[in-house]
C-alpha cells in the first residue's frame, strides 16, 4: 500500500513541475509557433551567398529567423540604396584617402544606407563629432575627435559591425624595379623600369597590364565626372595634388600653396609650361593649363558629377592670374562666417578637366552641353596633361597608352628624368585561369587577382607586395526597418540603459565570428573592430567597444531586449502544448487522487 502511495506522490510531483513549466511558458514573451522571435531579411551579392548562409545559421542560435536575398552587383546596389534589408553584408568603397567618414555615417551622407539621423540615441553626438573633425585643423585634436566618434558609433548607435578591410597582394616579375604597391601603379610609373627581360618578354619599354570586364565594362567612359574607377584615367589626366601612402602631400599640377591665418582661403600657384594633350581632331594644339581649368573642373564636379558630392566646402573661386587662384573655404555653411575644412587636399586629388575643350555650347543654366561632340569624344579618348595618351583602342581586346612627349613631370624635381615605360598596354581578359596562364607565360607583367593557394607567385622569379586597402567590409543594419521593427525599436529596455533595438543589434554583433567570415573569402584580409580600415592606423581608437563571438553575451542582450532565449530551448513546447498540458492536469490529477484514497482505505 505504501509503495502505491509513493508512486502516486511521484506522479503528482512530476505533474506539478509540468504545470509550473506551463505557467512560465504562458507568461513569457510571445513566441511564433516555428520557434523564432522574429525574422530578418539578409541582403548580399550573389557572390557572397555562402556568407549570407553563415549569418542565417548563426542567427538561429538566438532564435532569429532569416530570409536571404541575393542579387548580382547592380541590383544589389539598388536594393541597398532602397534599404531593402534588415541586415546587409556589404563591401564599402572608402570615399577618399582622408579618414573623414561623413559620406558613410552622417545623416546627409550619400552612402548612409543605415539610416543614421538625430532621432536615434547617439545620433546628435554623431553629427556634432563628424562636423567638428572636418573643421579641426590640429592633427592631434582631430584624432581625439575621431576616437570619440568611433566609440559613440560602436557603443551607442551600432549601425554596422566592422568585419575586415581588404588586403591586396599584387605579383609582378622580379625584374621590375621602382614599383611600390603602397603608392600604386600610376604613382610608381615615373620610377619603374626593367632590370632585365623576364620569361616571354619582348619589349623592355612596354608594361602590360590587364582588366576584367566587371571592373570597367567599356572603354568609352573616360570622363572622371562619371566614372568611379579612375585608375586608367590617371594615366591621361593629373590632379592638383596627390596624397601619398604616408599622408604627405605631393604637388602635381599645383606647384605651391598657402593658407590665410584661419585656413579659409587657399591660394594655389600652378606649374608653368604645362600643356594639354592635342585632341583627336587636332583642333586644339599647344593649349596651356591655367587657373581657368581649375575653376571649370571644380564647378563641373559640383554640378555634373554622378559619382558623388564634391567640393561642397568651396564657397567661391577667384582667379588671380593665369597661374594663380584663391579657393574660398567654408566647411560649415550653417555657421556664421567662414569655417575651415581639413580634408581639402584629398578632394583636390580629383583629375582636372580641359576647360578649352569642354566649356562649349553653354546653356542658360551656365553649364556646358554634355551632348556636344567634344564631350562625346572626351569620354572615348580622354584629354589631359598626364604621362600618357590613348594611342589605340581595340574594342574587346586591349587599349594602348603611349607616352606623352610633353609631360610636365619629366622636368619636375619629384620625378625621374623620363618615363622608361614608353607604352602602357591594358588587355581585356575575362577568365581567371586565362589571366593566370598568361602571366606565368610572361604575356602579362603583373597579376592583380592573387588569392589563397597561389603562394608560388610570391617567390622567384616573381615578387609580391601587399597593402591594406581603404575598402571596408561591414555587416550593416537598417535602423529604419519597418518590416522587422525589433531591429530598430527605440523603446527603452526595462533597465533604461539602451533601446531594445540597440540591444538586439548588440546581440547579433556577438553571434558572428569575424574570423570564420573572413575564412569564407579567398583573398587576404585584416579583421577590424573599428569602422576604419587599418590604412588609417593612427586614427583607430584601441579602446572602443568591440564585438567578438560570445553566445552568452548574445543571449544576455536578447534577454535585455525582452526576448528570453531559454524559453525556446524546446521549440515544440508552445502555447498550444501549454493549453493541452493544463487540460491534461485538470483531468488526470483528480483521478490519481481518487485512486490514492482507495488504495489507502
Amino acid at each position: 500500500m505504501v509503495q502505491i502511495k509513493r508512486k502516486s506522490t511521484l506522479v503528482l510531483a512530476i505533474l506539478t513541475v509540468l504545470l509550473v513549466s506551463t505557467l512560465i511558458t504562458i507568461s513569457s514573451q510571445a513566441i511564433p509557433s516555428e520557434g523564432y522571435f522574429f525574422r530578418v531579411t539578409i541582403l548580399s551579392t550573389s557572390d557572397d551567398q555562402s556568407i549570407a548562409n553563415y549569418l542565417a545559421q548563426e542567427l538561429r542560435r538566438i532564435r532569429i529567423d532569416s530570409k536571404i536575398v541575393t542579387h548580382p552587383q547592380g541590383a544589389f546596389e539598388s536594393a541597398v540604396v532602397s534599404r531593402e534589408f534588415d541586415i546587409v553584408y556589404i563591401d564599402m568603397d572608402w570615399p577618399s584617402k582622408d579618414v573623414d567618414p561623413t559620406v558613410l555615417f552622417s545623416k546627409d551622407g550619400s552612402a548612409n544606407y543605415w539610416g543614421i539621423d538625430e532621432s536615434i540615441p547617439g545620433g546628435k553626438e554623431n553629427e556634432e563629432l563628424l562636423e567638428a573633425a572636418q573643421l579641426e585643423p590640429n592633427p592631434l585634436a582631430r584624432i581625439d575627435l575621431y576616437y570619440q566618434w568611433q566609440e559613440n558609433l560602436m557603443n551607442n548607435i551600432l549601425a554596422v559591425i566592422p568585419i575586415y578591410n581588404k588586403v591586396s597582394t599584387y605579383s609582378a616579375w622580379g625584374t621590375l624595379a621602382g614599383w611600390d604597391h603602397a603608392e600604386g601603379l600610376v604613382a610608381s610609373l615615373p620610377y619603374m623600369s626593367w632590370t632585365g627581360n623576364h620569361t616571354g618578354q619582348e619589349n623592355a619599354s612596354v608594361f602590360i597590364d590587364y582588366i576584367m570586364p566587371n571592373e570597367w565594362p567599356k572603354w568609352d567612359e573616360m570622363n572622371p565626372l562619371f566614372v568611379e574607377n579612375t585608375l586608367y584615367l590617371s594615366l591621361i589626366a593629373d590632379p592638383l595634388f596627390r596624397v601619398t601612402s604616408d599622408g604627405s602631400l605631393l604637388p602635381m599640377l599645383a606647384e605651391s600653396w598657402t593658407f590665410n591665418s584661419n585656413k579659409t582661403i587657399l591660394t594655389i600657384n600652378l606649374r608653368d609650361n604645362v600643356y594639354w594633350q592635342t585632341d583627336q581632331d587636332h583642333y586644339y594644339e599647344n593649349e596651356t593649363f591655367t587657373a581657368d581649368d581649375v575653376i571649370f573642373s571644380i564647378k563641373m564636379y559640383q554640378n555634373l558629377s554622378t559619382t558623388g558630392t564634391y567640393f561642397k566646402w568651396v564657397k567661391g573661386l577667384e582667379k588671380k592670374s593665369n597661374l594663380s587662384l584663391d579657393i574660398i573655404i567654408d566647411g560649415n555653411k550653417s555657421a556664421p562666417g567662414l569655417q575651415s575644412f581639413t580634408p581639402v587636399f584629398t578632394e583636390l586629388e580629383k583629375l582636372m578637366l580641359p576647360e578649352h575643350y569642354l566649356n562649349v555650347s553653354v546653356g542658360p543654366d551656365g553649364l556646358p552641353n554634355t551632348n556636344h561632340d567634344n564631350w562625346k569624344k572626351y569620354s572615348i579618348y580622354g584629354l589631359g596633361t598626364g604621362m600618357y595618351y590613348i594611342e589605340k583602342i581595340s574594342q574587346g581586346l586591349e587599349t594602348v597608352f603611349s607616352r606623352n612627349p610633353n609631360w610636365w613631370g619629366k622636368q619636375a624635381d619629384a620625378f625621374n628624368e623620363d618615363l622608361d615605360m614608353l607604352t602602357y598596354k591594358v588587355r581585356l581578359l575575362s577568365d581567371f585561369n586565362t589571366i593566370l596562364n598568361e602571366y606565368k607565360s610572361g604575356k602579362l607583367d603583373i597579376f592583380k587577382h592573387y588569392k589563397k593557394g597561389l603562394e608560388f607567385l610570391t617567390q622567384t622569379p616573381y615578387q609580391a607586395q601587399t597593402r591594406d586597402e581603404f575598402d571596408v567590409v561591414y555587416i550593416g543594419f537598417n535602423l529604419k526597418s519597418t518590416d522587422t521593427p525589433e531591429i530598430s525599436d527605440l523603446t527603452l529596455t526595462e533597465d533604461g540603459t539602451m533601446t531594445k533595438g540597440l540591444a538586439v543589434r548588440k546581440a547579433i554583433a556577438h553571434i558572428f565570428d569575424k574570423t570564420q567570415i573572413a575564412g569564407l573569402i579567398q583573398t587576404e584580409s585584416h579583421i577590424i573592430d573599428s569602422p576604419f580600415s587599418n590604412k588609417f592606423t593612427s586614427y583607430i581608437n584601441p579602446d572602443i567597444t568591440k564585438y567578438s563571438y560570445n553566445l552568452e553575451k548574445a543571449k544576455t542582450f536578447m534577454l535585455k531586449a525582452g526576448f528570453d532565449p531559454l524559453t525556446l530551448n524546446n521549440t515544440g513546447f508552445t502555447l498550444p502544448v501549454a493549453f493541452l498540458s493544463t487540460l491534461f492536469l485538470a483531468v488526470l490529477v483528480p483521478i490519481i487522487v481518487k485512486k490514492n484514497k482507495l488504495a489507502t482505505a
Side-chain angles (χ1 to χ4, degrees):
M1 298 295 182
V2 175
Q3 186 178 5
I4 294 175
K5 183 176 180 180
R6 284 178 178 173
K7 286 183 179 179
S8 300
T9 303
L10 179 60
V11 171
L12 279 173
I14 293 172
L15 292 177
T16 301
V17 170
L18 183 60
L19 177 59
V20 171
S21 300
T22 301
L23 294 175
I24 291 174
T25 302
I26 294 172
S27 63
S28 297
Q29 171 76 36
I31 303 165
S33 59
E34 64 270 25
Y36 296 101
F37 292 117
F38 53 85
R39 173 180 290 181
V40 296
T41 297
I42 299 174
L43 176 66
S44 74
T45 65
S46 304
D47 293 338
D48 296 320
Q49 173 81 50
S50 61
I51 295 176
N53 290 337
Y54 167 79
L55 302 183
Q57 167 192 302
E58 294 305 293
L59 287 170
R60 294 189 188 103
R61 295 177 184 272
I62 50 175
R63 298 303 179 184
I64 297 177
D65 195 16
S66 306
K67 177 178 74 172
I68 296 175
V69 177
T70 61
H71 293 300
Q73 191 62 40
F76 170 78
E77 291 171 0
S78 177
V80 169
V81 171
S82 303
R83 292 201 189 116
E84 298 172 12
F85 64 87
D86 297 308
I87 295 173
V88 60
Y89 179 80
I90 186 168
D91 179 354
M92 296 297 296
D93 294 331
W94 202 256
S96 75
K97 290 183 181 178
D98 188 79
V99 70
D100 178 21
T102 301
V103 171
L104 280 64
F105 295 107
S106 171
K107 64 179 180 181
D108 297 321
S110 58
N112 173 24
Y113 305 131
W114 345 108
I116 296 174
D117 60 27
E118 295 181 358
S119 69
I120 62 175
K124 183 178 180 182
E125 185 178 358
N126 178 74
E127 300 302 319
E128 291 172 347
L129 288 169
L130 287 176
E131 184 178 291
Q134 280 187 333
L135 304 178
E136 179 54 62
N138 183 288
L140 293 178
R142 193 174 189 228
I143 288 174
D144 182 65
L145 287 168
Y146 280 127
Y147 271 30
Q148 297 177 54
W149 173 78
Q150 290 168 78
E151 175 59 17
N152 182 60
L153 180 75
M154 298 309 299
N155 191 37
N156 301 327
I157 298 176
L158 194 57
V160 298
I161 308 168
I163 305 298
Y164 61 84
N165 68 252
K166 291 182 176 180
V167 175
S168 70
T169 299
Y170 282 13
S171 176
W173 287 91
T175 53
L176 180 63
W179 164 49
D180 183 351
H181 188 34
E183 299 297 342
L185 275 174
V186 173
S188 297
L189 275 167
Y191 314 99
M192 284 167 49
S193 63
W194 295 106
T195 61
N197 288 340
H198 63 69
T199 300
Q201 188 172 22
E202 298 177 357
N203 191 332
S205 65
V206 176
F207 188 82
I208 305 176
D209 193 358
Y210 70 92
I211 194 170
M212 299 185 78
N214 63 326
E215 295 169 322
W216 195 352
K218 47 190 175 181
W219 282 104
D220 58 355
E221 295 179 349
M222 299 297 287
N223 191 326
L225 295 175
F226 312 128
V227 178
E228 290 188 23
N229 185 347
T230 60
L231 172 62
Y232 297 109
L233 298 183
S234 298
L235 298 174
I236 300 171
D238 294 310
L240 292 173
F241 303 92
R242 178 176 292 142
V243 180
T244 63
S245 61
D246 64 1
S248 58
L249 207 58
L250 178 66
M252 297 291 285
L253 293 176
E255 187 171 50
S256 62
W257 64 95
T258 57
F259 278 107
N260 67 341
S261 58
N262 64 355
K263 294 193 173 183
T264 57
I265 299 178
L266 173 62
T267 300
I268 297 178
N269 301 309
L270 306 175
R271 293 186 186 275
D272 198 2
N273 297 318
V274 174
Y275 290 89
W276 289 98
Q277 299 161 8
T278 301
D279 65 292
Q280 290 290 318
D281 299 314
H282 293 272
Y283 293 151
Y284 305 87
E285 296 184 339
N286 299 317
E287 293 283 346
T288 56
F289 175 75
T290 71
D292 291 329
D293 297 305
V294 180
I295 293 171
F296 175 76
S297 298
I298 290 175
K299 288 182 177 178
M300 293 304 98
Y301 280 106
Q302 286 177 321
N303 294 287
L304 294 180
S305 179
T306 59
T307 64
T309 303
Y310 305 110
F311 297 110
K312 289 178 66 176
W313 48 270
V314 174
K315 178 76 170 179
L317 298 159
E318 295 181 4
K319 178 180 176 181
K320 300 178 70 176
S321 70
N322 275 346
L323 295 176
S324 182
L325 73 149
D326 284 342
I327 300 180
I328 293 86
I329 300 169
D330 190 0
N332 184 5
K333 293 182 173 63
S334 62
L338 298 177
Q339 306 293 324
S340 63
F341 184 73
T342 301
V344 163
F345 293 109
T346 52
E347 285 207 10
L348 291 174
E349 282 193 291
K350 294 297 176 191
L351 302 177
M352 292 292 102
L353 308 172
E355 188 270 343
H356 70 277
Y357 191 70
L358 297 179
N359 196 18
V360 289
S361 186
V362 178
D365 56 359
L367 298 175
N369 175 17
T370 56
N371 291 317
H372 190 278
D373 280 348
N374 283 15
W375 280 78
K376 294 177 181 178
K377 291 175 182 177
Y378 179 73
S379 290
I380 297 174
Y381 296 101
L383 185 66
T385 58
M387 295 176 281
Y388 298 90
Y389 64 92
I390 291 183
E391 177 74 37
K392 182 179 67 174
I393 298 176
S394 301
Q395 288 292 349
L397 296 175
E398 65 181 22
T399 296
V400 178
F401 296 81
S402 293
R403 182 180 60 169
N404 174 12
N406 295 318
W407 182 49
W408 57 270
K410 62 186 180 181
Q411 286 92 31
D413 293 338
F415 300 104
N416 285 352
E417 294 180 1
D418 206 351
L419 285 173
D420 289 314
M421 303 297 179
L422 303 182
T423 302
Y424 194 104
K425 186 182 294 186
V426 184
R427 298 176 58 193
L428 181 65
L429 299 171
S430 57
D431 179 70
F432 173 83
N433 289 325
T434 299
I435 294 170
L436 181 58
N437 290 330
E438 292 287 273
Y439 177 55
K440 289 162 62 178
S441 66
K443 295 178 182 178
L444 294 174
D445 293 326
I446 197 163
F447 184 78
K448 302 181 293 189
H449 286 81
Y450 179 87
K451 58 183 181 181
K452 299 169 185 175
L454 298 177
E455 286 77 13
F456 70 93
L457 294 181
T458 67
Q459 303 162 8
T460 305
Y462 310 106
Q463 60 173 310
Q465 295 183 28
T466 298
R467 72 182 182 198
D468 285 297
E469 296 293 349
F470 292 101
D471 296 359
V472 180
V473 171
Y474 299 127
I475 293 173
F477 295 105
N478 181 359
L479 303 182
K480 301 298 179 184
S481 177
T482 54
D483 293 336
T484 310
E486 291 86 354
I487 290 284
S488 55
D489 190 352
L490 294 179
T491 307
L492 288 178
T493 57
E494 285 190 14
D495 60 9
T497 56
M498 63 185 68
T499 67
K500 292 184 176 180
L502 177 59
V504 168
R505 297 194 297 275
K506 284 177 177 278
I508 292 173
H510 279 299
I511 203 64
F512 299 140
D513 187 326
K514 297 180 183 182
T515 303
Q516 286 197 34
I517 294 174
L520 293 173
I521 63 173
Q522 291 185 310
T523 55
E524 299 295 329
S525 62
H526 280 157
I527 303 298
I528 56 175
D529 295 305
S530 164
F532 293 143
S533 161
N534 283 330
K535 198 83 170 179
F536 300 113
T537 302
S538 61
Y539 288 93
I540 295 175
N541 182 351
D543 298 321
I544 57 170
T545 299
K546 300 177 177 66
Y547 299 92
S548 56
Y549 176 78
N550 189 317
L551 181 58
E552 293 309 310
K553 280 189 176 181
K555 289 180 177 180
T556 298
F557 279 113
M558 286 296 286
L559 182 60
K560 186 184 283 283
F563 303 101
D564 186 356
L566 294 178
T567 62
L568 288 176
N569 284 343
N570 183 355
T571 57
F573 196 68
T574 56
L575 289 178
V577 175
F579 173 76
L580 291 175
S581 299
T582 305
L583 180 63
F584 176 75
L585 286 172
V587 173
L588 187 60
V589 169
I591 295 174
I592 293 175
V593 171
K594 184 176 180 180
K595 285 186 176 181
N596 188 43
K597 287 181 178 179
L598 291 174
T600 56

